[in-house]
Amino acid sequence: MRFFYLFIFFLLSQGVVGQSVRGMVLGADSGVVAYANISINNFTKGTTSDLDGKFVIENIEKGIYEIKVSVLGYKKWKKKLEINSDEVFLNIDLIPSSINLDQVVVS
């Protein structure tokens, strides 16, 4: 009987946890963007893109989240995302930004 309840619990938990977000981070000017920070609001996990711009965040419960991507040299990107299937794939296109610094005079 214990085994039966454990088996039912296992089956039910598979529908709640186990979804993943996969994707690729691209830059308009340079192709793939490596080492971009990817985070999801109200979720303790995050990740960075690899050398090929790919990323994976696993074990996400179904629901609506806001995903954010940031990396130096590009404008921050964010989007509301509904996770209701086992896997969501995103192609994220970042827009380059320039940072202007004031002149520094050394005397």
Side-chain angles (χ1 to χ4, degrees), residues 66-106:
E66 185 175 71
I67 187 167
K68 294 181 180 182
V69 180
S70 62
V71 65
L72 189 62
Y74 293 91
K75 292 183 180 179
K76 290 182 181 178
W77 182 93
K78 65 181 177 178
K79 179 180 180 180
K80 287 212 179 236
L81 180 67
E82 183 174 1
I83 299 174
N84 56 11
S85 62
D86 289 340
E87 185 171 279
V88 175
F89 188 84
L90 295 173
N91 275 326
I92 299 170
D93 295 316
L94 298 179
I95 299 169
S97 70
S98 60
I99 301 173
N100 294 328
L101 301 175
D102 292 331
Q103 182 180 3
V104 176
V105 177
V106 178

Side-chain angles (χ1 to χ4, degrees), residues 7-22:
F7 180 72
I8 295 298
F9 176 75
F10 176 76
L11 287 178
L12 292 175
S13 67
Q14 291 302 309
V16 175
V17 177
Q19 291 70 30
S20 64
V21 176
R22 298 178 183 272

